[in-house]
Amino acid sequence: MPYVITEACIGVKDKSCVDVCPVDCIYEGENQLFIHPDECIDCGACEPECPVTAIFPEEDVPANLQSYVQLNRSAFKGENPPKRPTR
Ligand code: SF4
Ligand code: SF4
């Protein structure tokens, strides 16, 4: 079960999570960051780093944010997939 980035990241994107991910599976989209669901090793390192509590393990994503589970997956299949984060 991968970790998922949800709504609170939109417009924040401070990338604290990126710095701690051991497998570099957090990518930058236009409005928020996304975790690649097939690359995440479920280590949990990113979750406490997020200042706005945008990151959840997939099984703990709140009901009102469930659409982000699919969004973190579908984002990588679109025409303009999330890229390596820039600083
Ligand atoms: S849970 Fe671990 S591997 Fe997955 S995105 Fe967070 S830091 Fe990276
Ligand atoms: S730490 Fe949180 S707000 Fe910052 S980029 Fe990562 S998910 Fe987004």
Side-chain angles (χ1 to χ4, degrees):
M1 285 288 194
Y3 279 61
V4 174
I5 297 180
T6 63
E7 189 169 28
C9 180
I10 295 174
V12 179
K13 299 205 329 183
D14 70 286
K15 303 177 194 170
S16 306
C17 55
V18 172
D19 294 336
V20 300
C21 180
V23 293
D24 293 332
C25 70
I26 305 178
Y27 296 84
E28 183 169 6
E30 195 172 334
N31 301 318
Q32 71 165 93
L33 277 78
F34 297 100
I35 294 173
H36 196 300
D38 300 325
E39 296 177 6
C40 175
I41 59 169
D42 214 8
C43 73
C46 55
E47 186 183 5
E49 297 300 318
C50 180
V52 292
T53 318
I55 307 175
F56 299 92
E58 183 174 328
E59 60 271 29
D60 293 342
V61 173
N64 62 325
L65 297 172
Q66 278 293 326
S67 62
Y68 285 85
V69 174
Q70 194 50 43
L71 191 60
N72 275 250
R73 198 167 281 283
S74 60
F76 292 97
K77 296 178 176 160
E79 297 253 314
N80 186 21
K83 298 181 174 51
R84 289 273 167 220
T86 53
R87 284 279 181 190

